[in-house]
Amino acid sequence: MRLFTLLFSLLSFYSAAEQLKVDGFATIGLVITDSDTAGIRQHISQPHATYKSELGFTNSSIGGQIEWQASSATQLVGQVLLKDNEEQNIDNIVQMAFLRHSFNANWQVRLGRTGLDLFMMTEHRDIGYTYTYDHPPTEFYAIVPHQNLDGVDIKYTHPLPHGLFSGKFFAGKSTAPIVSDDSFFWDVELKSLYGLVVEWQSYDWTLRANYTATQSGNENEQQKQLQAALTVVPDSIWPQKASLLDSLNIIGKRFNYSAIGARYDDSDWFWQSEISYIDSNSQVLKALTAGYISAGFYIDNHTFMATFAQAKSNNRTPPRPLISTPDLDLLYNTLIRHTNFYLVDQNTISLTIRSELSHSLALKVQMEHTAVNSLPSAFYLHRNLTSGDFDNSFNTLGISLNWVF
């Protein structure tokens, strides 16, 4: 955060700047579900979830953005957000803090903390008023906890006869928490992170593709403990020990993220879709495919939309040791919580209604039906798993007020 502190300390040197713009945004979100075992949350960094017979407000948030026009070509931009986090500190609250400079109409550079450009809604996913969904599709947007990039991006924009082409290269690092059951917390560091985004926009079309590569920069304490416990188990008792130790050795492992997206909107009806593929040389997440497609139409101040979203990985539950003892059983059950974290296979169908109450206030209602083939899942928090009566199919209602000010 030293870089970002420095960037905003520069504000004092621009007392004669042309313009200071301050905006705010907020969401009050209510969640109701009939799931007793899968606790509903929007992303895997959330420490709280909503279960059956509960009223959940953990999807509520409030934030603000400030933009200082230092000159005709240079701006300083910052965005802060208060939402459901395990730790409320300056690093989690500051979503963006960067210096943006335009060399000419074609070339632009940003330095500092920017949005990690993995998704079509990267730059505004925390501003609920800017999109139709009650929340971005869980199967697609909740997989990667990282929303920010600490580094630099360079963007080239070029007008074409029937649209606008842009290409962006970014590089840096990122840190974001993963929260799971039994108070599991891991502040995941991604190092050597770089990517390329290409996009074409016209009046009613947006087409984009991106590729991102990175390496894991740290491990959590539980992984170290599991490695130490597994090392002393004889190979004859657990023949797969070597591969399991490799799965626990996460530092330096490579992760690649590829995605394509498209949107068409002619002001009468629209559709939007994104598909992603993650692969790595880590056993924790060998390959995962996710995507969604949404279609809807406008009637006066109302928007009606249907969405289908799906995520599926090729992770497999590792075999048990050849013998059973209380210590080995405990080790195995703890181990598969790590190896099976990204063992996901589910889909959701949702219907959304958005109503514009004013030029700055929108009401959204979204009904979802989710079918889950694998629990526990990275997407949720859980309870009552020992009963064996899992909720593999459940419904969720989301109602939210979203405004900008």
Side-chain angles (χ1 to χ4, degrees), residues 280-295:
S280 77
N281 60 350
S282 169
Q283 299 294 328
V284 174
L285 181 56
K286 290 291 291 183
L288 190 152
T289 304
Y292 70 92
I293 183 168
S294 302

Side-chain angles (χ1 to χ4, degrees), residues 34-39 51-54 181-182 375-376 381-391:
D34 60 6
S35 172
D36 192 48
T37 53
Y51 296 91
K52 183 178 180 179
S53 302
E54 296 180 350
D181 301 320
D182 299 327
L375 278 180
L381 298 179
H382 307 87
R383 69 180 188 185
N384 300 333
L385 290 178
T386 56
S387 68
D389 185 19
F390 296 170
D391 290 324

Side-chain angles (χ1 to χ4, degrees), residues 108-350:
Q108 180 186 95
V109 63
R110 299 190 301 177
L111 175 66
R113 171 166 289 186
T114 61
L116 180 55
D117 204 352
L118 303 180
F119 314 111
M120 293 186 72
M121 296 190 290
T122 288
E123 297 291 339
H124 57 94
R125 65 182 290 183
D126 289 315
I127 307 176
Y129 182 82
T130 61
Y131 48 81
T132 302
Y133 308 93
D134 177 65
H135 60 87
T138 297
E139 284 81 357
F140 191 83
Y141 277 80
I143 295 170
V144 181
H146 299 79
Q147 292 187 224
N148 315 112
L149 172 77
D150 296 341
V152 62
D153 66 43
I154 302 172
K155 185 176 182 179
Y156 173 76
T157 304
H158 181 73
L160 298 173
H162 301 289
L164 187 68
F165 168 83
S166 65
K168 179 199 292 184
F169 173 79
F170 56 84
K173 62 180 181 179
S174 183
T175 302
I178 288 178
V179 180
S180 189
D181 301 320
D182 299 327
S183 302
F184 177 86
F185 179 86
W186 179 18
D187 218 15
V188 182
E189 297 177 5
L190 298 181
K191 63 180 184 179
S192 301
L193 194 161
Y194 61 89
L196 179 66
V197 182
V198 293
E199 185 172 279
W200 177 79
Q201 290 182 302
S202 69
Y203 174 74
D204 46 15
W205 279 98
T206 299
L207 303 174
R208 61 169 274 146
N210 78 328
Y211 172 79
T212 304
T214 188
Q215 290 181 323
S216 177
N218 69 333
E219 60 185 357
N220 62 70
E221 189 62 33
Q222 188 180 79
Q223 288 170 316
K224 298 177 183 178
Q225 295 171 357
L226 286 171
Q227 289 174 7
L230 189 58
T231 299
V232 300
V233 178
D235 292 350
S236 58
I237 293 178
W238 210 334
Q240 293 80 19
K241 186 180 79 171
S243 63
L244 292 173
L245 283 171
D246 181 67
S247 73
L248 294 169
N249 184 20
I250 195 72
I251 295 180
K253 292 298 177 67
R254 169 190 53 80
F255 294 87
N256 299 321
Y257 179 94
S258 305
I260 57 174
R263 179 178 175 87
Y264 174 81
D265 190 336
D266 68 357
S267 299
D268 291 319
W269 74 281
F270 64 92
W271 67 268
Q272 177 173 313
S273 181
E274 294 182 87
I275 301 173
S276 67
Y277 178 73
I278 303 175
D279 72 276
S280 77
N281 60 350
S282 169
Q283 299 294 328
V284 174
L285 181 56
K286 290 291 291 183
L288 190 152
T289 304
Y292 70 92
I293 183 168
S294 302
F297 57 91
Y298 307 101
I299 298 179
D300 297 327
N301 292 328
H302 309 286
T303 306
F304 301 86
M305 181 180 68
T307 301
F308 175 79
Q310 186 169 29
K312 182 177 177 60
S313 70
N314 71 346
N315 286 35
R316 297 291 183 268
T317 301
R320 304 180 68 93
L322 299 180
I323 64 173
S324 176
T325 67
D327 288 341
L328 283 175
D329 291 344
L330 176 61
L331 177 58
Y332 176 78
N333 292 329
T334 307
L335 178 69
I336 61 174
R337 289 180 52 193
H338 168 80
T339 59
N340 288 8
F341 183 77
Y342 275 110
L343 178 59
V344 296
D345 183 6
Q346 70 175 63
N347 63 77
T348 296
I349 299 173
S350 63

Side-chain angles (χ1 to χ4, degrees), residues 71-87:
S71 71
S72 59
T74 304
Q75 302 88 35
L76 287 168
V77 179
Q79 185 186 96
V80 295
L81 179 69
L82 286 173
K83 61 180 181 180
D84 185 30
N85 281 320
E86 180 73 16
E87 299 176 350

Side-chain angles (χ1 to χ4, degrees), residues 51-72:
Y51 296 91
K52 183 178 180 179
S53 302
E54 296 180 350
L55 298 179
F57 291 94
T58 56
N59 293 337
S60 303
S61 63
I62 186 169
Q65 182 165 314
I66 182 171
E67 181 172 327
W68 188 280
Q69 191 75 30
S71 71
S72 59

